[in-house]
Amino acid sequence: MSAIGRVTASALAASNENSFGLANFNIDLSLVKVEAPIEYQGLRSALSRHRVENAEQGPQHRTARRLGALFEQILPPIKTLAEAYGRRSSQIAEMEKQNSPSSSRNGPFAQHTGLDGTSIYAAATSGPSAIAVHLLACLLARTWSGPEAIAIWVELVAERKRDINENTDASQIQGLAARVAAQQEISRADLATWDASARAWLLSADENQKFRLTQLRLIIKDSGLLVSSFGNTYDSVIDVWTTAMKTLQDLILGRPQRISKGALLIGLSCWHIFPDLNVVGPLIHVKFNDELVDKGGIVTLGLQSASTDNDPGVQWSLSLSHLRYYGNPVTVTSRTSALGSRISMEDLHMVALGAVFGAWGQCFTDPYAGAKAISAIRSCLDISTDEELERDLPAMHLLWSTARRLLTCCCETERKSLLCLIAYGRRRAQNFLLEPSHTLKPAFGLADIETLWNIVSNTERGRAITVAQEVDNLREFAELCGVGSDYGIIRYPRSKSACHSTYSPENYAYTTAIPYPNHSQKRDLAGQLKSSQSHTHWVALSSSSTLISLETLEVSCPSGHVIQCGPFLQEGELPENTYGDVSYFSYFKWANPPEPFHYLLHSDAKDQYDEEPSDEEPSDEEPSDHKPSDERPKYVRFHRSFGYKDGAYLFRAGDRSKSRSLYDWEIQKILEFYVPNLSRSTYVREQFAPHDVSGMNQDRLIREFGRGTDSVLSLRNSLSRLVQAASIYRRLPGATIFISVVNSPIRSASCFHELYSSLAAKFACIAMFETGTCSVQPSQLKSVMAMSSGNAIYVADALLQDPIDPNTLGPQGITRIIGNIDHPGVVMLAPPQAPLIRSEDVDTWRVVNHHTFNGKLENCFSGTSLHLSFTKYEVPLSVSVGAVDAEMSMIETLISAHDQKNWVADLDVLSSLRCEKSFRRLRPPHCKHENQDPKPPTENAAVQIGKACDKQFVSIASWEELLDAPGDLGRSTVAVVRAYDNWHARVATMSVCVQMGLSTWVLPTDPLCTVCGNNVFVNIAMKAQVLIF
């Protein structure tokens, strides 16, 4: 018989024949406590005292006990699974405890720090059924968002109670036990806290089991399995829950399982037990070698996905009737994929790189080719160090460092995960960086032949080159770009003087861009016709022109390879503002061109040639749409592509609008070939520079390179904001990001306007990345001092250090602490508007002495401690329309100073530090006598200030003496608070003094030169009322 059955039977033994008494008997099941199994003792030792108390006799214990009793009768036996889960939880907790820093520097947050395994240990002290309910909490937290999971819990509890009331017999002991469980109150707030604890545990456990979890997710990615086929929410969740537990229990016992639904895969991912997998289609054997699973416990999984999605994952759909206050049930769908819901900031950069590749179109379908292109572009910059690149071109540094991470990744599992991130960015994250209407030129324009030629040729400006050199350069570039011999032709002036004369066709010659094969009548030893590759030149002649000797051409060529032709060209239209300059002709047409272009006349691509229009009217016998006769001449159209102004120019056959971009390998080859040229170009630098590096204005850049588009500017601004966020997260090791943040454009977030100078903007930025959806205004967070989310508390540095300590980020730094405040969602902690201070007690007059300060370094406030507590005032900051649960809220929070066990005051530390009227800190003046021998004597700052004035310095050696301070402070008396080397007391006394309106100076504890600070000390002595020493 279960624990609850035994308790209930014992309590009712005296009256078990009185059905009326049984039906109306009620006890509080939360009072029942069982001894936690030995497998969970390692977890207990890793929890803080506050969390252990909560799990054994606090709100979490009551919730676990009531939920366990409510669902007990529908659960399968899971003794083996519960033991294995306890061992795994203890392993994780003990490793996390070893890696966690000491909580002594966490100040008022100390009791809330450390691993959150509260719900696990609460379940362990409430019986096996409660452990099963905790497993359900992990399963829901893994699959659904916080508000969705809470709505599911509310529906499960309500449906289970209804089922008990309708289908149990109150006259029987077992039925009575269920009835008693159904009478227990389980509030929505209790369920929300229960869910929040499970989420916090998952975040820590996922990081601990990261490698195994990544391997499992890569398998889940391709599964495409449905989780449950049940229609209603209650039946679906109960089916998934019980199926996953029964299947995993059998696997732990060494019994192989074949699965066709995704319930077990979700269970494995959130319970962190990893049996070996046999994946069929294609055949893959994944060995986890988990010591918790007996030999033979192997899962056979057939990949059955018919989805066209690249990441189908495991899908689960439910209809939630408790998600909103009003309206029809809301259908929600969850997908467990390769990435999980949370990623690191570095992983987000990889998603952003995928978004850039996606914006490039089909140019770089291979991520490695795109990463190599980014790396090649980086090598084209004349910047030697990473530090210089990050300083001058932060957006380019982000892309390049991310591309380098992909290219240098050696671990196969990590490599696959990175490719999934890039694929996700290509599919889902383009709006994160760009507006929907924006597109990017592939490779930032370097996949465009004309743009690339402009960069290469611009580096040659100022150097005189011959027409022959121009032709050679064009041929070299055309070959690198893959211009076929049958598509490219170069027009060049017969002489430099011809460029500036009145246009005439005979002033220009034409030559092949790529050599083409010439077949001879001779055969080789194998009997095949010999062929060779060579260039051919054509010279346009007017009807009256005489033959041109080869010596008149500036481009040398072998005899016999110059073909002199009669008039055969029709020049195309001149663009506007070219003033008849022939070098600007947009195209020309060649009538019945010779080899190698003749075949284009017979091509199916009609845009490559034109037919000469006929002046004849169509006859009755011949329809108007008849094909032209073979005698009618046809023209191949060649469009202007790239070249030298007033010099050689390459034209390409076909429609200019349909010209292709360069292939990946072509871009790579060109970039590597032209690195010296590109390194002298300012093209890439000007695209990614946050300011005008070269001194060229933007209008000129647009005219010269045609790249100053809104798309490039939008990308640069978005990447710059991502760089700013990365600078914040660099100081938050272990912090993760909700991947759905890429669904909203980063450019619309308001937190980036004052990110470096505003603490509120930093909290707004972290909140946005934590939730993935909430974009709160920094103006709403001006008073916020900390933020709790998941398994971390983000605290303003000023609350965790001595008020004199320098801060590497100024007064606006944030520190991440492992822990939480046991509240669901993202919670902003703000102090009350008017914190209270204990009034002076008339009975303490005997201990208020105010002795003259003797100059000794003493800590008289060793009993001072800081504590965190909460009022009941809570304001939602982010709630979906009609939703019941808030994703983000602000809670009024008290940081209290205590003397031993006695409350002294509630503090507003940040406001005190910002109070320029009352708060000052003495920065140690730079000593000019460091190298002097002998050096001047040193003395503590308080003594030196006392010598600089004629005021009386009195000692403050207790809270009573501070709260009942002398009435003439500042006029004839200065109070010296003696809290040497005790930052808790120095913070507390500083804040209290400022809140009392006293002019307060915090002094350094190290002795200072008696010569260098004289003027400073005199100024302090004139203004100060209190010195914190």
Side-chain angles (χ1 to χ4, degrees):
M1 185 180 292
S2 65
I4 178 59
R6 291 193 298 272
V7 172
T8 307
S10 176
L12 304 176
S15 56
N16 60 359
E17 294 182 358
N18 188 332
S19 60
F20 179 80
L22 289 176
N24 291 276
F25 196 82
N26 188 15
I27 62 173
D28 187 357
L29 298 179
S30 64
L31 300 177
V32 178
K33 177 185 174 183
V34 300
E35 186 69 25
I38 190 172
E39 292 84 6
Y40 292 84
Q41 293 305 312
L43 171 67
R44 185 187 190 280
S45 64
L47 299 180
S48 66
R49 185 183 65 179
H50 167 75
R51 299 196 192 283
V52 172
E53 291 175 354
N54 191 358
E56 291 182 341
Q57 57 192 12
Q60 287 278 45
H61 177 79
R62 292 194 293 272
T63 302
R65 191 73 196 100
R66 291 169 179 174
L67 288 174
L70 186 65
F71 291 96
E72 183 173 22
Q73 295 184 8
I74 62 173
L75 296 177
I78 58 163
K79 182 176 182 298
T80 303
L81 172 58
E83 292 173 353
Y85 186 72
R87 288 196 293 271
R88 177 54 39 84
S89 300
S90 294
Q91 290 173 3
I92 294 172
E94 289 169 352
M95 285 189 285
E96 289 296 306
K97 183 179 180 180
Q98 293 174 3
N99 298 330
S100 298
S102 172
S103 61
S104 60
R105 295 292 298 179
N106 295 331
F109 298 89
Q111 65 176 339
H112 296 277
T113 60
L115 186 76
D116 186 356
T118 311
S119 63
I120 305 177
Y121 196 65
T125 59
S126 300
S129 61
I131 294 176
V133 173
H134 164 76
L135 296 179
L136 173 59
C138 291
L139 191 146
L140 295 180
R142 168 71 77 212
T143 314
W144 306 100
S145 68
E148 291 169 346
I150 296 170
I152 293 171
W153 273 113
V154 172
E155 187 159 348
L156 291 178
V157 170
E159 286 297 310
R160 177 58 185 154
K161 288 183 175 181
R162 184 187 60 80
D163 182 45
I164 290 173
N165 291 330
E166 292 180 357
N167 300 312
T168 57
D169 186 356
S171 64
Q172 302 298 319
I173 291 297
Q174 291 298 328
L176 179 61
R179 288 279 182 126
V180 170
Q183 292 175 6
Q184 306 296 306
E185 180 184 358
I186 307 174
S187 69
R188 192 181 189 103
D190 293 336
L191 296 173
T193 304
W194 178 254
D195 173 75
S197 179
R199 288 178 187 279
W201 166 257
L202 285 181
L203 290 172
S204 299
D206 288 352
E207 184 64 26
N208 184 274
Q209 300 288 312
K210 184 175 182 179
F211 184 76
R212 283 174 166 175
L213 188 59
T214 301
Q215 285 183 298
L216 178 63
R217 283 172 170 166
L218 290 172
I219 298 299
I220 292 176
K221 174 180 78 74
D222 297 321
S223 65
L225 299 177
L226 293 178
V227 174
S228 174
S229 57
F230 283 87
N232 67 74
T233 297
Y234 178 80
D235 291 339
S236 178
V237 173
I238 298 301
D239 171 60
V240 171
W241 176 28
T242 55
T243 299
M245 290 192 298
K246 287 187 292 187
T247 306
L248 184 53
Q249 166 120 330
D250 288 340
L251 289 167
I252 293 172
L253 293 172
R255 302 166 186 165
Q257 302 289 313
R258 184 180 183 91
I259 65 171
S260 58
K261 291 185 178 180
L264 176 66
L265 296 180
I266 298 179
L268 298 181
S269 72
C270 62
W271 301 333
H272 302 96
I273 299 175
F274 302 95
D276 292 351
L277 300 177
N278 274 335
V279 183
V280 180
L283 181 62
I284 303 173
H285 184 57
V286 182
K287 299 196 72 173
F288 290 102
N289 298 318
D290 193 333
E291 69 276 8
L292 297 181
V293 181
D294 287 349
K295 186 177 180 181
I298 300 175
V299 179
T300 300
L301 168 67
L303 299 184
Q304 303 174 358
S305 174
S307 173
T308 57
D309 197 321
N310 292 329
D311 190 5
V314 173
Q315 301 178 58
W316 192 4
S317 294
L318 295 176
S319 181
L320 306 183
S321 58
H322 294 268
L323 186 62
R324 300 185 182 279
Y325 283 109
Y326 176 78
N328 295 323
V330 179
T331 300
V332 293
T333 300
S334 174
R335 174 179 294 165
T336 303
S337 64
L339 303 179
S341 60
R342 303 195 69 86
I343 58 176
S344 66
M345 177 58 75
E346 291 75 17
D347 289 344
L348 182 63
H349 293 171
M350 198 65 65
V351 174
L353 182 65
V356 171
F357 291 164
W360 285 354
Q362 298 302 314
C363 182
F364 286 96
T365 55
D366 179 9
Y368 284 97
K372 289 177 180 177
I374 295 287
S375 182
I377 293 172
R378 162 65 180 96
S379 65
C380 295
L381 292 168
D382 189 20
I383 298 178
S384 57
T385 65
D386 294 353
E387 292 76 13
E388 185 181 357
L389 179 65
E390 186 174 14
R391 182 193 66 221
D392 294 342
L393 306 175
M396 184 63 205
H397 180 268
L398 185 148
L399 292 178
W400 172 71
S401 59
T402 306
R404 181 177 58 179
R405 180 188 175 196
L406 175 65
L407 295 174
T408 57
C409 179
C410 300
C411 175
E412 180 68 12
T413 299
E414 183 182 1
R415 184 187 65 81
K416 290 181 179 179
S417 180
L418 296 182
L419 293 178
C420 288
L421 289 166
I422 290 177
Y424 186 88
R426 184 185 288 272
R427 298 192 314 270
R428 306 278 181 85
Q430 289 191 37
N431 289 346
F432 180 59
L433 300 178
L434 297 170
E435 294 184 9
S437 60
H438 286 173
T439 58
L440 291 174
K441 288 184 178 181
F444 307 117
L446 297 181
D448 179 75
I449 294 178
E450 288 81 356
T451 302
L452 196 56
W453 170 257
N454 283 336
I455 301 172
V456 174
S457 61
N458 281 339
T459 61
E460 299 174 350
R461 288 185 176 178
R463 294 191 296 115
I465 60 175
T466 64
V467 173
Q469 290 173 323
E470 291 179 353
V471 172
D472 288 341
N473 290 344
L474 287 173
R475 285 172 173 171
E476 181 181 70
F477 189 79
E479 183 177 3
L480 288 172
C481 294
V483 175
S485 60
D486 52 356
Y487 273 85
I489 188 169
I490 297 173
R491 180 173 68 181
Y492 62 92
R494 285 170 44 198
S495 65
K496 277 295 185 181
S497 60
C499 302
H500 306 287
S501 61
T502 303
Y503 170 70
S504 179
E506 59 266 24
N507 289 339
Y508 290 86
Y510 297 80
T511 183
T512 48
I514 304 295
Y516 74 100
N518 292 309
H519 298 286
S520 68
Q521 298 301 317
K522 297 182 179 180
R523 297 179 181 272
D524 57 18
L525 296 177
Q528 301 294 325
L529 289 175
K530 292 183 177 181
S531 64
S532 60
Q533 290 189 333
S534 61
H535 287 287
T536 299
H537 296 250
W538 295 270
V539 180
L541 301 178
S542 65
S543 57
S544 60
S545 297
T546 58
L547 293 178
I548 300 174
S549 64
L550 296 181
E551 288 75 14
T552 63
L553 294 175
E554 289 213 3
V555 181
S556 61
C557 58
S559 177
H561 287 277
V562 174
I563 302 174
Q564 305 192 46
C565 309
F568 61 88
L569 299 176
Q570 290 185 4
E571 295 292 356
E573 297 83 0
L574 282 170
E576 294 182 2
N577 301 325
T578 55
Y579 306 106
D581 190 341
V582 67
S583 63
Y584 282 99
F585 271 125
S586 59
Y587 68 91
F588 67 84
K589 295 189 293 184
W590 193 339
N592 296 321
E595 291 289 345
F597 311 108
H598 187 68
Y599 91 98
L600 294 173
L601 298 175
H602 308 287
S603 171
D604 291 333
K606 289 257 184 169
D607 59 323
Q608 294 174 349
Y609 67 87
D610 295 315
E611 298 170 353
E612 184 181 54
S614 173
D615 295 332
E616 299 179 2
E617 294 292 334
S619 65
D620 295 336
E621 292 79 11
E622 186 178 31
S624 60
D625 58 349
H626 75 284
K627 293 183 179 180
S629 64
D630 293 337
E631 291 78 12
R632 181 171 300 164
K634 297 178 181 179
Y635 293 84
V636 173
R637 185 189 298 258
F638 291 87
H639 287 270
R640 180 176 179 269
S641 184
F642 57 87
Y644 295 92
K645 186 179 182 301
D646 299 331
Y649 226 96
L650 186 139
F651 289 74
R652 301 181 70 181
D655 186 354
R656 178 181 177 85
S657 64
K658 297 182 180 180
S659 60
R660 70 170 178 86
S661 296
L662 297 173
Y663 292 117
D664 303 355
W665 62 270
E666 291 172 340
I667 299 172
Q668 183 71 23
K669 184 169 63 173
I670 292 171
L671 291 175
E672 293 173 353
F673 187 85
Y674 285 109
V675 161
N677 301 63
L678 294 171
S679 64
R680 294 193 297 270
S681 170
T682 60
Y683 177 85
V684 177
R685 178 184 283 268
E686 290 159 354
Q687 288 232 72
F688 287 94
H691 49 80
D692 189 7
V693 176
S694 66
M696 298 171 64
N697 62 58
Q698 183 171 307
D699 291 339
R700 181 179 172 187
L701 294 179
I702 295 173
R703 290 197 305 270
E704 185 167 355
F705 297 108
R707 66 180 181 279
T709 64
D710 291 340
S711 300
V712 173
L713 297 177
S714 177
L715 174 68
R716 188 175 66 190
N717 292 337
S718 296
L719 290 177
S720 297
R721 291 191 168 195
L722 198 55
V723 169
Q724 293 179 50
S727 69
I728 303 299
Y729 272 80
R730 196 174 294 127
R731 298 188 68 250
L732 306 173
T736 57
I737 293 164
F738 207 88
I739 194 171
S740 64
V741 72
V742 301
N743 295 333
S744 302
I746 192 172
R747 62 187 172 275
S748 64
S750 59
C751 59
F752 291 98
H753 300 305
E754 300 177 324
L755 191 61
Y756 289 139
S757 61
S758 168
L759 184 64
K762 288 183 175 66
F763 278 125
C765 176
I766 296 172
M768 181 185 72
F769 285 103
E770 275 288 316
T771 62
T773 55
C774 300
S775 182
V776 63
Q777 296 293 328
S779 58
Q780 298 177 266
L781 310 180
K782 286 184 177 181
S783 62
V784 170
M785 57 185 176
M787 183 185 93
S788 175
S789 176
N791 68 334
I793 306 175
Y794 299 88
V795 186
D797 284 350
L799 301 180
L800 305 176
Q801 64 185 19
D802 193 291
I804 197 67
D805 285 349
N807 192 321
T808 56
L809 290 181
Q812 314 301 342
I814 294 176
T815 296
R816 180 177 182 267
I817 301 173
I818 298 297
N820 57 47
I821 64 168
D822 304 320
H823 194 284
V826 176
V827 185
M828 299 294 177
L829 310 183
Q833 291 186 354
L836 301 177
I837 299 175
R838 188 178 72 194
S839 58
E840 57 185 85
D841 190 348
V842 295
D843 295 332
T844 62
W845 59 271
R846 288 186 176 85
V847 296
V848 177
N849 299 307
H850 292 155
H851 293 301
T852 301
F853 177 59
N854 60 11
K856 292 184 179 180
L857 305 178
E858 295 183 66
N859 174 24
C860 300
F861 290 80
S862 58
T864 298
S865 58
L866 302 177
H867 301 269
L868 199 72
S869 61
F870 310 98
T871 69
K872 296 182 179 181
Y873 181 68
E874 179 176 350
V875 179
L877 293 177
S878 178
V879 185
S880 300
V881 177
V884 179
D885 303 289
E887 297 179 76
M888 185 187 304
S889 59
M890 182 181 293
I891 293 180
E892 190 173 60
T893 306
L894 305 178
I895 294 181
S896 302
H898 286 243
D899 183 18
Q900 301 297 340
K901 295 183 179 181
N902 299 318
W903 172 81
V904 176
D906 296 326
L907 312 177
D908 188 350
V909 178
L910 297 184
S911 294
S912 298
L913 292 173
R914 295 168 183 157
C915 182
E916 298 180 357
K917 179 180 178 181
S918 299
F919 171 73
R920 293 287 190 276
R921 55 166 62 90
L922 171 61
R923 300 294 189 188
H926 175 69
C927 183
K928 302 176 182 178
H929 308 92
E930 292 180 353
N931 299 322
Q932 182 176 325
D933 189 21
K935 294 181 180 180
T938 59
E939 204 167 16
N940 70 65
V943 172
Q944 294 194 53
I945 295 172
K947 293 178 179 180
C949 68
D950 57 358
K951 296 180 181 179
Q952 180 185 7
F953 277 43
V954 299
S955 175
I956 303 296
S958 67
W959 280 105
E960 288 77 12
E961 290 188 340
L962 179 60
L963 297 178
D964 190 9
D968 57 349
L969 286 178
R971 295 191 300 274
S972 59
T973 306
V974 177
V976 181
V977 177
R978 308 179 72 175
Y980 177 75
D981 201 27
N982 181 350
W983 75 267
H984 293 84
R986 283 163 64 87
V987 167
T989 54
M990 178 276 300
S991 185
V992 168
C993 289
V994 173
Q995 290 171 213
M996 292 170 62
L998 301 174
S999 177
T1000 306
W1001 285 75
V1002 176
L1003 306 181
T1005 56
D1006 296 330
L1008 304 178
C1009 175
T1010 56
V1011 177
C1012 295
N1014 280 337
N1015 295 332
V1016 177
F1017 297 149
V1018 171
N1019 183 48
I1020 295 176
M1022 296 295 294
K1023 298 179 179 179
Q1025 292 177 292
V1026 178
L1027 302 178
I1028 309 293
F1029 181 65

